[in-house]
Amino acid sequence: MVNIPALEQVNQILHILFIFLPFLWALGTLPPPDALFLWAMEQVLEFGLGGSSMSTRLRLLLMFIISAGTAVTSYFIPSTVGVVLFMTGLGFLLSLNLSDMGLAFKHSVTRHRVGTKSKPLPSDSEKHFTWKECLFYIIILVLALIETSLLHHFAGFSQISKNSPQAIVGYVLMILLIILWILREIQSVCIFGIFRNPFYPKDVQTVTLFLEKQTRLVKIGVVRRILLNLVSPFAMIAFLSLDSSLQGLHSVSVSIGFTRAFRMVWQNTENALLETVIVSVVHLLISSTDVWWNRSLDTGIRLLLVGIMRDRLIQFISKLQFAVTILLASLTEKKRRKSTTTLCILNIVFSPFVLVFIIFSTLLSSPLLPLFSLPLFLVGFPRPVRIWPGAVGTTACVCADTVYYAHMVPSLTTALQAAMAGGSLGLLLPGSHYLGRFQDRLIWIMILECGYTYCCINIKGLELQETSCHTAEAQRVDEVFQSAFEQEYSRICSINEHFGNVLTPCTVLPVKLYSDARNVLSGIIDSHDNLKEFKGDLIKVLVWILVQYCSRKPSVQEVVRKTENKGKESLTILPALNASPQTQSPEDTDSLNSEILDDWSDDNVFGVEPTIRKGKEEKNQLKVVSGINLPIPGSVESQGVGDHSIGTVPENSLYESVILGYPVVDKGKQKDVAYIPLMEFSCSHSHLLSLPEEWTSNCLPNSKMREMSSLFPEEWYQFVLRQLECLHSEQNASNVLEEIAKDKVLKDFYVHAVMTCYFSLFGVDNMVPSPGHILRVYSGVLPWSLALDWLTEKPELFQLALKAFRYTLKLMIDKASLGPIEDFKELINCLEEYETDWYIGLVSDEKWKEAILQEKPYLFSLGYDPNMGVYTGRVLTLQELLIQVGKLNAEAVRGQWANLSWELLYATNDDEERYSIQAHPLLLRNLTVQAADPPLGYPIYSSKPLPIHLY
């Protein structure tokens, strides 16, 4: 074997190659073993077996094994009819989304066994395969098998000629290809990315107007879908079934070629149609049997070669366009023009060598790598279509803005389904990238795999806090879309002004999402009149919220039924508001007037929650224990201890109390008792709206409570009670509510709770609040007061008080913007709207995210801009709006991602201000780097692979 010339030549070549391996590895041209293995499987699966790249490694491996097994099995089937039926059936089944169909079937079986409706499948965007879809696929499969067997069995085989049945089917396929191409181009805003489509709706900015103008295009899309999904596959099956090559059994070329051909009919119908038409045209043009094309190759292998040439030609054009864009970007960038001019000249001089690099990368299907984004090109190592090694959708730089993308994905997926099925996004191929834009949101969409009536995508969301580079490129994206969708053109067929950019506009999608509006509140929140009205409105809102809270308690309806049969009235304990005034100690007076915390001032707008000095706390602040206030002359107010609920407390326990400030009583000795007045509800139903026991305790001096109780709006309180609906199911509900409204004891409960919360929210000072005070309390930072601990120890009441404060602020803004409230009925309607349709809080709250995911129609937040020194209001509105979508040059994305990987992993250039991530309007360099998978990129949202059904 030593003397075999071939082996000696291989030995010499390998010795030379091994010398350059370290150099190739250093340049990043040698692929890692896992990337090489996955790339090889993808190439064989797509071009040798007719499949598609897959969204996960496991799916790729399983599909590769099954597809290879299909080709091998077809080689051993003895019958020609059996081979054709086997190839047709397996080709159709393998082109379907079998994994999701299996999950849906398993889910339905489990649901049927349990007998209840189970949770939706999260992986299928809550859309499942129904029995209608399964029936549709079964019918298609049966018809395909019948057609194949009949044509193959009864039709005569002959070499293709102008009058043969196969040639006639070829003519039909040519017509179908032209019609489908025209119908697809009509759906998009640009034809070939160069000319503006005259049939596309012009100057579209609203959803209603767009849907009206798009009616004709939708009908055209339906026709295209029928031709693509039903007519074309059966026409191509007829072409393949009539081919004479199928008579030559036990041929490797026939098994591989026709296994791929029958699979491609369903897996990628548009590309298969183009390949079949090319083969048919070449047959008609070259009729001589002496030509190598006709003599040595069967139809299956011809289709395979045409498919490889088609893919490589598209890649070559895209790579060439990317290389030219890099050159133009280097010349048009003012800062780098001097340093890159030399490189551009060298590229022009050595253009044949640049073309060699482009051709070599095209043949390997590997990215064209521009070193540091400069016009200095290398061949990147071959890698799968997914580019990155990790699983899709498992990593993202999650932040507070992630929820906006997570919310819009289901609606966006539905809109993409209609656009992709209609052809608005062009030819769907694995590895295609799209960019969507709405307000400050940028959505990156990548196609992972395609099949019969489905494709699988990954959606990423880019950061909302725009940097200077991000803003520059986002403005260019806006310019590209505005010139395509919003600008009026005088000529019928205008040229795309931004041709040559890596982004080509495609269409607009109606999507249900949140629009973001930010307003400056100057003149509203700092108006003295508005702030003065704010205090009075706050008491009304507090009354409404507390009454609503008590009326919605789960046990209200049950207690109503039970108490109808009882005439017994409950006993309640309440500190009398009209009791004789007690003598206040000097310390008591000082606590109300002089204890103002220095940390809590208007100068500290964003200060943290104040702390209370321990000495003053021990001296003047009492911990609420049971809810009973005992006025004892000569001492601070003390509270009783009891474990019984209000309204059912035994009489003997009403006299037990802990007398704070007196010596400790020895165990076993009788405690001192103080008289507590017993009060009864005048209405037997009043306890239904009674506040919890711990909320009725009094932490303020009686003199202060009497002073503040004069502010309580009694007419509003009675009106709110009469409007309650919790008792409307009972007989004489209006009379019951009238009696409850007249119950003075119940009213005193609400007076204590409401005015204590009111005092807690405004602190010691009873002045008109400042804007800084409004912002701090809105953010949950309350001023110090005697009632601060009392309120904070009751988390539920604290949240209700904070909610009332925020509702009142929104009410103040609405009154200033829309006009005053005319009557109580309008005020209640306004508050009910806040309760049902609004979330009013902070952007940083967890409930803010929950409200978005629950699709609250409106969200409001108060903020402060320290740069401008103004208070701002942010309003999110849920509505159906238009997202503009464009297609990116896939090779430009792959090349920049390959450079990112090379620069960070091989060259270890992790400079945050490096040239390769600086903004460039032509390349969208910064946005492309952001969209890479972490840790090299930093998208704030990345979805799991999402299947989209294209029918």
Side-chain angles (χ1 to χ4, degrees), residues 440-451:
D440 56 351
R441 270 156 272 186
L442 283 162
I443 304 103
W444 193 282
I445 305 165
M446 180 181 180
I447 298 181
L448 301 172
E449 65 177 273
C450 292

Side-chain angles (χ1 to χ4, degrees), residues 179 289 592 615 619 882 902:
I179 294 174
T289 57
L592 290 175
K619 194 171 185 179
L882 296 176
W902 180 89

Side-chain angles (χ1 to χ4, degrees), residues 802-940:
L802 189 60
K803 180 180 178 181
F805 191 92
R806 292 171 174 176
Y807 280 15
T808 309
L809 174 67
K810 184 66 176 67
L811 181 65
M812 181 184 75
I813 296 173
D814 288 348
K815 287 168 64 177
S817 306
L818 306 176
I821 302 294
E822 296 181 357
D823 52 21
F824 286 167
K825 184 65 176 176
E826 185 178 354
L827 179 56
I828 280 188
N829 292 338
C830 188
L831 294 177
E832 287 177 348
E833 182 185 353
Y834 292 162
E835 186 72 18
T836 56
D837 296 341
W838 286 79
Y839 174 77
I840 302 174
L842 295 174
V843 177
S844 57
D845 290 344
E846 194 64 30
K847 289 185 178 180
W848 179 276
K849 299 178 183 179
E850 295 176 3
I852 291 176
L853 297 177
Q854 293 169 2
E855 294 195 341
K856 278 278 187 181
Y858 307 98
L859 290 89
F860 172 83
S861 177
L862 178 67
Y864 180 78
D865 188 347
N867 297 324
M868 301 177 62
V870 295
Y871 295 90
T872 59
R874 183 180 183 185
V875 178
L876 299 184
T877 306
L878 182 63
Q879 52 189 325
E880 195 172 32
L881 297 167
L882 296 176
I883 289 183
Q884 299 163 330
V885 179
K887 188 172 186 178
L888 293 160
N889 185 331
E891 291 303 323
V893 175
R894 294 182 69 200
Q896 294 183 75
W897 280 356
N899 171 70
L900 175 66
S901 175
W902 180 89
E903 192 171 354
L904 292 180
L905 300 180
Y906 288 86
T908 63
N909 179 23
D910 58 351
D911 183 9
E912 294 181 356
E913 299 299 327
R914 62 186 184 274
Y915 172 73
S916 59
I917 63 171
Q918 299 302 312
H920 199 283
L922 281 178
L923 294 171
L924 302 181
R925 196 160 44 197
N926 188 264
L927 297 181
T928 305
V929 169
Q930 285 186 50
D933 281 7
L936 303 185
Y938 43 99
I940 64 173

Side-chain angles (χ1 to χ4, degrees), residues 695-708:
W695 294 5
T696 58
S697 60
N698 191 4
C699 62
L700 299 177
N702 286 345
S703 58
K704 186 65 179 178
M705 183 58 68
R706 283 195 301 273
E707 175 189 341
M708 296 182 65

Side-chain angles (χ1 to χ4, degrees), residues 318-538:
S318 298
K319 284 180 167 65
L320 187 62
Q321 183 182 355
F322 174 50
V324 173
T325 306
I326 288 283
L327 289 171
L328 292 176
S330 302
L331 289 173
T332 56
E333 195 170 12
K334 295 180 180 180
K335 295 181 180 179
R336 298 281 179 174
R337 184 177 298 172
K338 293 182 179 180
S339 59
T340 57
T341 302
T342 305
L343 287 175
C344 292
I345 295 174
L346 290 174
N347 274 274
I348 295 172
V349 173
F350 295 99
S351 56
F353 294 97
V354 176
L355 282 175
V356 169
F357 277 103
I358 295 175
I359 293 172
F360 189 57
S361 66
T362 300
L363 293 175
L364 290 177
S365 188
S366 60
L368 182 66
L369 192 155
L371 282 179
F372 306 104
S373 294
L374 296 170
L376 186 61
F377 300 104
L378 289 178
V379 178
F381 65 80
R383 63 197 79 195
V385 170
R386 293 185 292 112
I387 301 291
W388 305 110
V392 175
T394 56
T395 56
C397 301
V398 179
C399 65
D401 295 328
T402 302
V403 66
Y404 301 113
Y405 290 109
H407 165 263
M408 69 184 294
V409 161
S411 178
L412 177 61
T413 304
T414 303
L416 283 171
Q417 176 181 352
M420 288 178 170
S424 301
L425 298 183
L427 186 62
L428 303 178
L429 294 173
S432 299
H433 297 265
Y434 299 87
L435 185 66
R437 175 71 168 167
F438 172 75
Q439 289 187 348
D440 56 351
R441 270 156 272 186
L442 283 162
I443 304 103
W444 193 282
I445 305 165
M446 180 181 180
I447 298 181
L448 301 172
E449 65 177 273
C450 292
Y452 183 64
T453 67
Y454 90 96
C455 72
C456 197
I457 65 171
N458 167 241
I459 297 176
K460 292 178 181 176
L462 305 188
E463 63 180 355
L464 302 185
Q465 297 177 352
E466 299 179 349
T467 60
S468 58
C469 293
H470 183 106
T471 303
E473 294 187 354
Q475 288 176 353
R476 173 52 66 92
V477 172
D478 292 335
E479 292 174 6
V480 172
F481 285 139
Q482 286 173 6
S483 66
F485 299 113
E486 300 176 13
Q487 185 174 335
E488 283 285 356
Y489 292 91
S490 57
R491 291 181 296 178
I492 296 178
C493 191
S494 304
I495 296 177
N496 179 16
E497 298 176 0
H498 298 278
F499 174 70
N501 195 297
V502 295
L503 178 65
T504 303
C506 289
T507 187
V508 291
L509 304 176
V511 178
K512 189 177 181 181
L513 44 69
Y514 281 98
S515 62
D516 195 346
R518 302 168 192 260
N519 304 312
V520 176
L521 300 180
S522 299
I524 298 178
I525 196 172
D526 52 1
S527 170
H528 182 79
D529 294 336
N530 291 341
L531 293 173
K532 191 174 181 180
E533 289 183 11
F534 178 89
K535 298 188 69 175
D537 290 339
L538 177 60

